Amino acid sequence: MYFILLFVFSCLSPCHCLVEKDENQDHCDVLKQWLQSSSVSVELSKKGFHREVITTVELKSDVLSDVRVLLVHRWPRGVYVDPYQLASLSDQRDWKILLDSTIDLELPAHKASGFITYVYPSHIGPTPRSPKVTIPVHGRYHEPSFVGETFTSVDIEAPELLLWTVQCTQLNTLQPHAVVDAPCTVSNSSTCQWVKIQHQQEFSPLRFQFPVGDASLVAPVCGGTLLVTMMCCAALSRYMWKHRII
């Protein structure tokens, strides 16, 4: 009896592995469909130092599955996002943001560093076909120009679109799309292997224009301010002496 059971289990084991392999391949095929049909578009709204970067993801696959979506923005040091503002907005919108570092809101651009934001949908259930993410972005103060320029430019690159599903483990079959490590969820408790979509065309960066001071005016402005201050102090002292206020 023992040998019969052993023989049955030995026969069923390869069949079970074969079924698991087929299911894994099916999930990888679904993920490949998403990779081939999905796209990202970015636009800029508002003016001045306080802008909004609007990202729209087009998921054109007809197959609904448990594929997860992640947007990775790599921001230059000339801009920043306000963590407190993002926390208040996340309760009103369908996304949550994870920052890779602490953001100092007061630093000027030449003393700040670039940073990364990971944007996760906050809903439960299938991913919408056209999720839209609006991120408020603020310009930092820049050093004054010594060559007479009145504006400086800050380029914002398009975000990376990453996809992931726990059922697909054979990620080497998804080339030319690259496999990258990123936090699994906004809680940042673990890291998963995501597949980054290889865009068919290059995106032109969004360009912010921020005003800067004229460094050549530092000396005359400081000199004029000092002169006016001294004149006001002299006039005030003369008035107080004349009226015996002291």
Side-chain angles (χ1 to χ4, degrees):
M1 185 64 180
Y2 173 78
F3 292 103
I4 294 177
L5 291 175
L6 183 61
F7 176 75
V8 172
F9 285 134
S10 62
C11 293
L12 291 178
S13 180
C15 297
H16 178 70
C17 295
L18 184 59
V19 170
E20 286 187 346
K21 183 177 180 180
D22 291 340
E23 290 180 352
N24 184 275
Q25 185 61 44
D26 290 341
H27 288 290
C28 291
D29 290 340
V30 171
L31 183 58
K32 185 178 295 186
Q33 292 182 30
W34 281 57
L35 291 169
Q36 294 173 349
S37 61
S38 302
S39 61
V40 177
S41 60
V42 187
E43 59 182 314
L44 187 63
S45 67
K46 297 187 177 181
K47 297 181 179 180
F49 276 84
H50 308 286
R51 310 285 188 90
E52 286 185 347
V53 175
I54 304 173
T55 304
T56 303
V57 181
E58 293 291 340
L59 304 174
K60 300 179 181 178
S61 176
D62 295 331
V63 181
L64 295 177
S65 66
D66 57 350
V67 175
R68 301 285 300 278
V69 175
L70 170 60
L71 284 174
V72 181
H73 287 265
R74 302 183 184 275
W75 304 97
R77 63 181 183 177
V79 298
Y80 70 92
V81 297
D82 187 342
Y84 305 102
Q85 183 183 23
L86 295 180
S88 64
L89 292 177
S90 64
D91 296 333
Q92 309 169 15
R93 303 185 182 182
D94 295 331
W95 47 262
K96 292 184 180 295
I97 290 184
L98 171 66
L99 300 172
D100 76 322
S101 59
T102 303
I103 305 296
D104 192 327
L105 308 183
E106 304 298 331
L107 283 180
H110 64 282
K111 293 185 178 180
S113 301
F115 61 98
I116 301 175
T117 56
Y118 301 93
V119 184
Y120 299 85
S122 59
H123 65 276
I124 299 176
T127 302
R129 294 191 182 277
S130 298
K132 180 177 291 188
V133 178
T134 301
I135 302 180
V137 180
H138 311 280
R140 293 189 181 275
Y141 290 103
H142 290 71
E143 286 187 296
S145 172
F146 290 89
V147 294
E149 295 180 351
T150 56
F151 287 88
T152 186
S153 299
V154 176
D155 291 341
I156 306 296
E157 300 292 337
E160 301 171 2
L161 177 59
L162 309 184
L163 301 179
W164 170 74
T165 177
V166 68
Q167 284 85 1
C168 178
T169 57
Q170 298 176 353
L171 301 180
N172 57 340
T173 63
L174 302 175
Q175 295 180 355
H177 306 285
V179 178
V180 298
D181 291 330
C184 298
T185 62
V186 72
S187 63
N188 197 20
S189 58
S190 60
T191 300
C192 297
Q193 286 191 317
W194 297 74
V195 183
K196 182 172 70 172
I197 288 185
Q198 185 72 28
H199 297 293
Q200 299 297 326
Q201 58 182 0
E202 294 294 332
F203 290 97
S204 299
L206 298 177
R207 176 157 294 182
F208 288 15
Q209 292 282 341
F210 296 121
V212 295
D214 190 347
S216 63
L217 299 177
V218 172
V221 169
C222 291
T225 303
L226 180 60
L227 178 60
V228 171
T229 302
M230 293 177 63
M231 292 175 61
C232 292
C233 289
L236 182 60
S237 299
R238 183 172 179 273
Y239 177 85
M240 295 175 66
W241 178 263
K242 180 179 180 180
H243 294 83
R244 298 294 190 272
I245 297 178
I246 299 180

